[in-house]
Amino acid sequence: LLGLLGFVLLIVAFDLWGFFTLGTITPAEEPARDQDANAVVMVFGATGSVGDGLLKAAIEDPNVKKVYVVTRSTSPRIEAGAKSGKVEIRMHQDFTDYSSLTDILAEVNTVLWGLGTTSLGVDDATYTRIHVDFPMAFVSTWLSARKIGPMSFHYVTGMGTDANGDQHWAREKGRAEHDLAMLAADSDLRTFSYRSAFVRPTTEQANGFHYMLETLLRPGKLVISSSELGSAMLEISARTNELANG
């Protein structure tokens, strides 16, 4: 009984935290959208639970004409997208070196970056390599291929990200947010970070536990599905004059 009470109090605390720290940006009600802003999308981390939803959103968006998936391995959604002709798979191993992608980077408008790992059981150096070095290396290479918009880079960082935080993961994610924005400052590239709490997997991957968490965390605005997150990224990309870099 005490365990159940503790769990309930924890959920209530999370919901209150989420509700009172909710962002205050109000989107335009009748926005101007650039229909070509997401013509060519590149997705990283598409085999993960978050990246799978980002890929699903890109495939289903009628304004997306081409999707490049950069990955070490494949998945049923990636394979289905490739069979449809909308997805092109680019197998990739070294995520600090993107020279093998230089033939396509100049045509990419939007990058959905879902590549990452939990901080649990991962040493600090490895975590930094994945969450700072990987995206920084990519954006640097991308900007050497093109600097003229529309261009947008969308990075899932997570709730609690804080460049001045107590936890290594929070500081490094915060550093990545800042450094990516600075890297894009002299170009048309806009970078956006998403400090999501719980990202529910797509309906194809979600189970009863995921839906239970979604129900419990909805009051605090602490949950979004991965495909909804991907759609939000594409919507922000299309609103080229509404939100600035960083």
Side-chain angles (χ1 to χ4, degrees):
L1 184 59
L2 288 177
L4 178 60
L5 179 60
F7 177 74
V8 171
L9 290 175
L10 180 63
I11 293 297
V12 170
F14 271 124
D15 280 333
L16 289 173
W17 178 33
F19 184 82
F20 287 110
T21 59
L22 194 64
T24 56
I25 295 176
T26 303
E29 294 184 2
E30 297 182 3
R33 293 185 176 90
D34 183 341
Q35 299 301 318
D36 297 321
N38 296 309
V40 180
V41 172
M42 183 172 281
V43 180
F44 287 82
T47 57
S49 63
V50 174
D52 177 65
L54 305 185
L55 176 59
K56 180 178 182 179
I59 290 174
E60 293 180 351
D61 191 312
N63 291 319
V64 175
K65 307 306 179 187
K66 180 79 173 182
V67 181
Y68 289 108
V69 174
V70 181
T71 183
R72 287 193 179 103
S73 58
T74 189
S75 72
R77 194 180 309 282
I78 294 173
E79 294 292 345
K83 288 180 180 179
S84 75
K86 190 168 186 176
V87 171
E88 180 175 322
I89 305 170
R90 299 296 292 250
M91 302 303 294
H92 197 78
Q93 297 299 321
D94 185 355
F95 287 83
T96 62
D97 180 1
Y98 299 92
S99 56
S100 65
L101 303 179
T102 54
D103 60 314
I104 58 174
L105 287 179
E107 64 183 275
V108 175
N109 300 108
T110 302
V111 174
L112 309 183
W113 191 279
L115 183 63
T117 185
T118 175
S119 61
L120 299 176
V122 178
D123 63 83
D124 289 352
T126 299
Y127 193 85
T128 295
R129 178 177 170 83
I130 294 171
H131 294 277
V132 180
D133 298 346
F134 284 7
M136 287 293 291
F138 172 78
V139 171
S140 179
T141 305
W142 189 19
L143 287 172
S144 68
R146 71 174 291 176
K147 289 185 172 64
I148 305 301
M151 298 173 66
S152 61
F153 181 87
H154 302 266
Y155 184 30
V156 182
T157 51
M159 190 174 185
T161 294
D162 182 353
N164 300 310
D166 295 331
Q167 300 295 317
H168 176 266
W169 76 264
R171 293 194 302 273
E172 291 301 84
K173 285 285 191 74
R175 179 161 73 92
E177 290 178 345
H178 174 270
D179 290 354
L180 287 166
M182 291 301 98
L183 194 60
D186 294 326
S187 71
D188 287 346
L189 174 62
R190 297 180 301 149
T191 64
F192 302 100
S193 299
Y194 299 80
R195 297 183 177 184
S196 307
F198 174 52
V199 180
R200 176 179 60 73
T202 58
T203 54
E204 294 86 353
Q205 293 191 356
N207 57 37
F209 178 70
H210 295 130
Y211 285 111
M212 181 189 74
L213 280 180
E214 179 177 23
T215 300
L216 293 172
L217 297 174
R218 279 286 180 192
K221 311 295 184 183
L222 289 171
V223 60
I224 187 171
S225 74
S226 55
S227 56
E228 288 173 336
L229 181 59
S231 295
M233 292 175 174
L234 296 172
E235 177 68 17
I236 289 171
S237 291
R239 300 186 183 205
T240 53
N241 298 317
E242 192 167 338
L243 293 173
N245 172 43

